[in-house]
Amino acid sequence: GNKIRRLSFRDKQEQAGGVSIEVLNLSHARSIHLFAAASWMPSLLDLQVLRVLDLEGCEALKNEHLENIGSLFHLRYLGLRKTNVDKLPSQIGKLEFLQSLDVRGTRIKELPREIIQLKRLVHLVGYDLLLPDGFGKMEALQELSELDVCDSSKNFCQDIQNLRQLRELRVAFKHSRCGVQDRELRKVALLSSLCKLGEHNLRSLYIVNK
């Protein structure tokens, strides 16, 4: 029948087989990709079996569009790159099968406490990210970047060293946010954690001084 498995479109005026995009039944969609010029957002409540949601550059995306993100129980990939979103809802913690989260080029910096519930998350990428205490419980993480060391909590280094599956790590020291003494203390603590990670799977390390 008319069950749509994959949807990809660029703007609101697009039609599929003469049918307006807004009236399509997306309840069976596994993958949705919206492009930069897309001016329409589907209701997340209608996407119960979705596994891939790629919204890179989507101008229409706003924080409120993600409020029901927890309904996407089967979601594996969430791409918000280059959108205007500046906050993730607490419901993100309900996505227990999520493997990849891309928030690069957004205004998202501080991630919600509930993010640590994502025990299957493998890739978490953004810029100047602040993770809540306890993120060391996200033991499946293999790629993590870029973390703001200076604004992070004192438990940051302890959490880092618990990520034994980590293969790629990128961290940043912002000189404007760290006093000289604080920065040196954090570097020493981070070095200790990295030495322990080096005994496991860590293969790529980027330390950015800004």
Side-chain angles (χ1 to χ4, degrees):
N2 297 318
K3 295 178 181 179
I4 296 172
R5 304 292 185 186
R6 184 179 189 278
L7 175 67
S8 175
F9 73 99
R10 296 178 182 278
D11 63 59
K12 189 176 181 179
Q13 303 306 317
E14 280 197 27
Q15 297 190 349
V19 179
S20 176
I21 216 80
E22 287 94 334
V23 300
L24 294 176
N25 180 357
L26 302 178
S27 61
H28 296 278
R30 299 288 196 276
S31 173
I32 290 181
H33 302 258
L34 301 188
F35 295 90
S39 56
W40 169 81
M41 277 293 300
S43 169
L44 300 187
L45 294 173
D46 298 332
L47 306 173
Q48 300 295 318
V49 298
L50 197 68
R51 283 167 170 73
V52 173
L53 181 58
D54 186 0
L55 304 173
E56 180 175 346
C58 185
E59 297 173 358
L61 185 66
K62 296 180 174 61
N63 288 355
E64 53 264 31
H65 289 131
L66 300 176
E67 288 178 356
N68 295 311
I69 196 74
S71 67
L72 305 183
F73 183 73
H74 297 284
L75 200 65
R76 264 66 168 177
Y77 176 88
L78 177 58
L80 304 175
R81 190 175 185 183
K82 296 181 180 178
T83 63
N84 293 319
V85 174
D86 60 15
K87 183 179 181 181
L88 289 177
S90 60
Q91 277 203 21
I92 194 79
K94 295 183 178 181
L95 303 180
E96 63 177 80
F97 294 105
L98 194 67
Q99 296 174 358
S100 296
L101 175 60
D102 188 347
V103 296
R104 289 174 294 179
T106 70
R107 291 178 289 167
I108 294 172
K109 177 176 173 66
E110 187 169 357
L111 297 174
R113 171 74 185 168
E114 290 77 11
I115 197 83
I116 66 175
Q117 297 172 23
L118 304 183
K119 301 299 175 59
R120 292 180 173 87
L121 196 64
V122 176
H123 307 282
L124 174 56
V125 291
Y127 298 125
D128 295 337
L129 296 180
L130 290 175
L131 296 179
D133 283 346
F135 73 84
K137 297 176 182 177
M138 301 164 69
E139 296 178 352
L141 277 174
Q142 294 182 19
E143 180 184 9
L144 183 55
S145 72
E146 166 189 295
L147 302 186
D148 181 345
V149 179
C150 288
D151 279 349
S152 64
S153 79
K154 299 296 184 182
N155 297 324
F156 170 85
C157 293
Q158 179 62 50
D159 278 319
I160 280 286
Q161 73 181 46
N162 289 336
L163 300 178
R164 298 183 178 181
Q165 299 302 316
L166 206 60
R167 294 180 177 273
E168 181 174 336
L169 173 65
R170 183 186 292 265
V171 298
F173 286 90
K174 301 296 182 68
H175 288 218
S176 61
R177 297 175 189 162
C178 276
V180 175
Q181 184 176 7
D182 182 43
R183 186 166 66 246
E184 292 308 311
L185 288 173
R186 287 175 183 261
K187 284 184 177 179
V188 170
L190 180 61
L191 180 60
S192 174
S193 296
L194 293 177
C195 288
K196 293 176 181 177
L197 284 181
E199 299 173 0
H200 299 286
N201 294 293
L202 191 64
R203 295 295 179 266
S204 298
L205 172 66
Y206 304 86
I207 300 179
V208 182
N209 280 292
K210 299 182 179 179

